[in-house]
Amino acid sequence: MWDYTDKVKEHFLNPRNVGEISNADAVGEVGSLACGDALKLFLKLDENKERIAEAKFQTFGCGSAIASSSALTELIKGKTLDEALEITNQEIADFLGGLPEEKMHCSVMGQEALEAAITQYRGGTIATHEETGQEGNILCKCFGLTDSFLKKIIVTNKLRTAEQVTHFTKAGGACGGCIDKIKVAIAEVLEEQVMEKQKSPEKLTNLRKMQLIQSVLENEVRPQLWSDGGDLDLIDIDGSRVQIAFRKACAGCGSSGSTARFVEQKLRGLVSDDISVEEVEG
Amino acid sequence: MKEIYLDNNATTKVDEAVFEEMRPYFCELYGNPSSMHFFGGQVQKKVDEARRRVADLLNAAPEEIIFTACGTESDNTAIRSALELFPHKRHIITTRIEHPAVLTLCRNLSRRGYRVTELNVDGEGRLNLDELEAAVDDDTAIVSIMYANNETGVLFPVEEAGAIAKAKGAIFHTDAVQAVGKVPLDVTSSTIDMLSLSGHKLHAPKGIGALYLRKGVPFRPFLAGGHQERGRRAGTEATANIIALGKACELAANLMDDTNRRVKAMRDRLERELLTLIPNSRINGGEAERLPNTLSIAFEHVEGEAILLLLSEKGICASSGSACTSGSLEPSHVLRAMGVPFTCAHGTIRFSFSRFNTEQDVETVIRELPPIINRLREISPFGRELLAHP
């Protein structure tokens, strides 16, 4: 049984603001029957069209989906549209005293519906779930999720593993065919973050660099590989060239290429951006 | 809150008589049956009795019963044994609706070079034996087909399937975890080579299973070690659990006819009344031959976990075919294989009875469930035209 907080249970058993608003200013719809959850959000603005006077929802989904929808409507009432857009899925989860990580996608659905509603209000077109978040290319076919949507969720929730991305967005949770692509997306997000952050001018000594590489591999990289039943060994460090050998499930795994890339992005992000990682036999 | 337990395909209550039977074998009669002294010897006698009782339920010989730790171990043992015996054969046949104990193993093996055929089922969850006939060949090491499906209760024609498998020289195994104790089995005139069963599905404790192995069928043990179970399953016998399983099998044999009559009547009543009271509901596998205790019923446009949580508030314990309860994101592989539409698969609830259920349990569900479905349909953006007001 899921370990739901009392607040989740309370909002599931007594959801606030259920229903429709017939003359709503904005309607946002995300999810579908096939996905297993869907949320339709109705917003009514005040006379000055500034603040959200009323918010109602209809949700098809599990306990945490209903509780997240209820929490969302409570959070946005009285806010301006810009203030409402600032709300992150984490705030929805926090409002409920937290959600099991496997259920975080319910909070993401709430935030998506809100964005869809406000986009529709400002752009004047009704956004349906097929149209929201469709910038970029479809990465997860089963749930129709794009790379740009996933990257946004990866950044805002500081996600580091494909499993986390599945828990937050469902991507990769059905056929599993896109999990390698999700790993690449995580690596690319890390890369972009490194690019943005100006590298500190401090010059690493060779000794310090080697220590840092070892510590990142031990503390950041290997625990994540273990969770997939894999592992790696550090074979050698020659300047900025890091040689690793994959072990256990990683050895001979078809996606070891993307795993090597993930290791490289980690080291570039946390040690130095001139590092290159190569996979060797060893 | 007193529980109304209608999740007996998940696990069952240990029968008080079973518990009494096993109780002395913890603190008093704790000897090792392999020991040479009287203290172990008396436990050995009790283990022998348990083996006979399990065998009797299947109409097997005692030496055809191997005790294991669980149904999953029995399944894994059976399939791996066949593959070890015939290393040149690289083909396994199973079905898309097997329990993960078989399906996950087969899918893992397919990544190691085995060819795995997963037979399809029709909309009612039934197998097509022509498909098996076409799939089995000289390369097939083992055919493993469950006796009854855990989610829908649909029964499979294992005797016919076994005959087809054996005509091509393949070993035939059936995962009968959901069937043993619920339907009469007789392995003497059967095509079954190996059969898995699990104690906790028939009022014995968790942590005990058995594998029936037909006399003369070659076998390779899964665990290497001591001589226990005639060298076929190493590891000190879980004596108390084995004795409990023996008692549970004896009770099942004695009570089966009466239980099935009573349980089937309760299941049928629940099915009939829920279909009448709740519009847009349907039975999964309703046209097929089913276990007498299982009801898999779908409610359109609502989600299973939400139903279960609200039932749980009323003390009612059931399970669902929904994705959200398991942590996976796809609804039950069984319902998907049957082609049950998403609208129904997400909203499927399974009620499974045992001899400990009463008419009052059924009445409580009939009273509590329709308003729950209505309430969730009122929250749902879909199917609002279906709202009923009983």
Side-chain angles (χ1 to χ4, degrees):
Chain A
M1 195 165 183
W2 297 112
D3 189 14
Y4 286 138
T5 65
D6 288 343
K7 193 116 189 238
V8 172
K9 284 185 212 155
E10 213 274 312
H11 274 261
F12 165 62
L13 294 173
N14 304 297
R16 326 292 199 266
N17 313 307
V18 175
E20 297 174 82
I21 301 176
S22 51
N23 57 346
D25 291 301
V27 180
E29 218 178 335
V30 290
S32 72
L33 272 172
C35 295
D37 47 23
L39 165 56
K40 195 169 181 183
L41 179 70
F42 302 83
L43 301 180
K44 181 82 192 153
L45 301 180
D46 63 10
E47 286 170 5
N48 305 325
K49 302 290 176 197
E50 269 178 13
R51 289 182 184 276
I52 298 170
E54 204 186 349
K56 289 206 167 195
F57 77 90
Q58 289 173 334
T59 290
F60 159 75
C62 59
S64 57
I66 291 170
S68 296
S69 310
S70 170
L72 168 73
T73 52
E74 288 290 279
L75 276 168
I76 59 176
K77 270 200 286 188
K79 287 203 162 53
T80 66
L81 293 184
D82 282 333
E83 285 166 356
L85 275 178
E86 296 281 301
I87 291 173
T88 62
N89 67 285
Q90 189 60 51
E91 283 172 68
I92 299 172
D94 290 346
F95 180 87
L96 292 166
L99 285 171
E101 188 173 283
E102 292 86 343
K103 295 288 191 175
M104 283 299 286
H105 61 85
C106 296
S107 67
V108 173
M109 182 170 76
Q111 198 233 354
E112 270 185 281
L114 176 64
E115 267 187 25
I118 295 177
T119 309
Q120 177 255 324
Y121 175 70
R122 290 185 166 162
T125 51
I126 301 278
T128 66
H129 67 273
E130 271 93 17
E131 290 158 8
T132 50
Q134 290 299 294
E135 295 153 37
N137 303 310
I138 291 282
L139 191 148
C140 171
K141 286 184 193 138
C142 297
F143 294 106
L145 302 170
T146 63
D147 51 359
S148 50
F149 168 74
L150 294 179
K151 280 184 179 175
K152 192 188 98 184
I153 301 297
I154 291 167
V155 171
T156 52
N157 292 284
K158 299 189 177 63
L159 307 184
R160 291 295 175 264
T161 66
E163 196 183 12
Q164 286 178 312
V165 173
T166 303
H167 292 154
F168 277 67
T169 65
K170 295 189 165 193
C175 76
C178 63
I179 286 174
D180 283 345
K181 288 184 192 159
I182 295 174
K183 287 181 182 164
V184 171
I186 296 170
E188 284 171 0
V189 166
L190 287 173
E191 194 173 3
E192 284 158 19
Q193 286 172 344
V194 170
M195 302 290 241
E196 276 172 32
K197 190 173 65 184
Q198 276 304 318
K199 296 305 293 177
S200 54
E202 170 198 2
K203 176 101 172 68
L204 287 173
T205 63
N206 270 334
L207 181 62
R208 183 73 191 123
K209 196 179 211 171
M210 285 161 120
Q211 286 170 336
L212 275 175
I213 289 169
Q214 279 181 305
S215 121
V216 168
L217 291 178
E218 286 308 313
N219 301 318
E220 299 282 332
V221 175
R222 291 182 68 204
Q224 289 197 26
L225 300 185
W226 296 339
S227 68
D228 287 333
D231 202 355
L232 62 74
D233 276 336
L234 176 61
I235 303 297
D236 201 2
I237 303 173
D238 178 10
S240 295
R241 279 174 56 221
V242 178
Q243 298 188 323
I244 56 170
F246 286 116
R247 305 289 185 218
K248 297 186 187 165
C250 290
C253 166
S255 60
S256 67
S258 63
T259 312
R261 177 117 198 267
F262 158 75
V263 177
E264 188 171 88
Q265 295 310 332
K266 270 276 184 205
L267 291 173
R268 286 184 179 180
L270 296 167
V271 184
S272 164
D273 59 5
D274 60 353
I275 284 176
S276 66
V277 168
E278 48 192 273
E279 188 185 343
V280 295
E281 304 268 318
Chain B
M1 182 163 51
K2 178 77 183 103
E3 80 280 1
I4 293 171
Y5 190 76
L6 287 165
D7 201 10
N8 288 282
N9 286 9
T11 194
T12 58
K13 166 193 160 112
V14 175
D15 193 299
E16 312 272 345
V18 168
F19 185 55
E20 285 311 313
E21 188 93 358
M22 76 189 289
R23 188 203 287 274
Y25 295 87
F26 290 99
C27 301
E28 297 145 44
L29 303 170
Y30 53 82
N32 187 325
S34 300
S35 299
M36 275 303 126
H37 43 66
F38 78 97
F39 193 62
Q42 61 195 8
V43 181
Q44 179 66 55
K45 286 204 178 65
K46 210 49 199 169
V47 168
D48 290 344
E49 181 194 60
R51 196 183 306 280
R52 206 161 47 240
R53 286 169 163 177
V54 175
D56 283 349
L57 182 62
L58 308 176
N59 208 9
E63 58 274 19
E64 293 177 312
I65 302 300
I66 302 168
F67 290 115
T68 64
C70 52
T72 299
E73 187 195 323
S74 300
D75 288 337
N76 274 254
T77 302
I79 292 169
R80 287 179 187 277
S81 167
L83 298 180
E84 267 197 55
L85 280 163
F86 307 111
H88 57 287
K89 294 190 175 185
R90 307 291 291 174
H91 183 215
I92 306 165
I93 298 179
T94 185
T95 73
R96 283 178 67 191
I97 43 77
E98 291 300 307
H99 188 275
V102 168
L103 208 50
T104 305
L105 172 65
C106 289
R107 287 177 183 173
N108 288 349
L109 287 166
S110 79
R111 284 203 286 275
R112 292 207 225 132
Y114 284 93
R115 191 158 57 87
V116 175
T117 302
E118 294 178 11
L119 301 173
N120 294 298
V121 292
D122 69 9
E124 297 296 326
R126 290 173 297 217
L127 281 179
N128 177 356
L129 288 176
D130 292 343
E131 198 188 338
L132 171 61
E133 186 98 54
V136 67
D137 57 30
D138 297 336
D139 194 35
T140 310
I142 183 162
V143 176
S144 179
I145 293 177
M146 69 195 333
Y147 205 106
N149 184 265
N150 47 311
E151 292 189 28
T152 59
V154 171
L155 290 158
F156 297 102
V158 287
E159 291 303 337
E160 293 84 339
I164 294 169
K166 295 172 88 164
K168 290 283 183 182
I171 299 264
F172 182 67
H173 165 254
T174 182
D175 175 348
V177 161
Q178 292 294 346
V180 172
K182 293 177 194 151
V183 290
L185 291 166
D186 182 351
V187 292
T188 44
S189 55
S190 162
T191 59
I192 298 168
D193 292 320
M194 291 192 270
L195 175 150
S196 302
L197 66 93
S198 169
H200 75 105
K201 309 290 191 193
L202 67 153
H203 307 291
K206 295 150 190 73
I208 181 71
L211 179 67
Y212 158 79
L213 173 67
R214 173 180 297 283
K215 209 176 290 178
V217 170
F219 180 75
R220 287 284 158 83
F222 185 36
L223 292 184
H227 55 85
Q228 292 88 352
E229 302 294 296
R230 299 169 167 238
R232 297 175 300 184
R233 202 278 189 177
T236 300
E237 297 88 340
T239 49
N241 280 352
I242 288 171
I243 290 160
L245 177 61
K247 183 67 182 174
C249 287
E250 185 192 59
L251 289 171
N254 292 340
L255 301 173
M256 193 185 302
D257 288 348
D258 181 53
T259 300
N260 280 351
R261 235 187 334 270
R262 234 168 41 77
V263 156
K264 182 169 188 305
M266 288 191 283
R267 191 273 311 267
D268 290 348
R269 178 182 171 201
L270 183 64
E271 176 172 318
R272 207 170 45 240
E273 300 214 18
L274 290 181
L275 285 175
T276 314
L277 290 168
I278 303 173
N280 289 68
S281 51
R282 52 170 267 180
I283 308 301
N284 299 311
E287 298 297 316
E289 207 189 328
R290 280 180 296 162
L291 289 173
N293 81 318
T294 307
L295 170 60
S296 172
I297 182 165
F299 306 105
E300 282 187 65
H301 303 115
V302 286
E303 200 280 329
E305 187 210 90
I307 305 171
L308 290 185
L309 290 174
L310 291 173
L311 281 173
S312 182
E313 287 292 307
K314 305 287 180 188
I316 300 166
C317 310
S319 68
S320 85
S322 128
C324 282
T325 51
S326 59
S328 83
L329 293 166
E330 276 227 284
S332 137
H333 70 287
V334 176
L335 301 178
R336 294 299 301 142
M338 290 164 66
V340 173
F342 278 112
T343 48
C344 294
H346 287 295
T348 286
I349 299 292
R350 179 190 71 189
F351 296 101
S352 46
F353 290 81
S354 81
R355 61 175 178 260
F356 295 107
N357 289 114
T358 63
E359 286 292 335
Q360 211 180 355
D361 295 343
V362 177
E363 278 153 26
T364 308
V365 178
I366 291 170
R367 187 178 67 240
E368 300 292 352
L369 186 53
I372 286 174
I373 301 298
N374 224 34
R375 171 171 169 185
L376 291 172
R377 281 181 177 165
E378 270 166 3
I379 300 179
S380 173
F382 306 116
R384 304 191 55 73
E385 66 282 1
L386 304 179
L387 290 179
H389 297 279

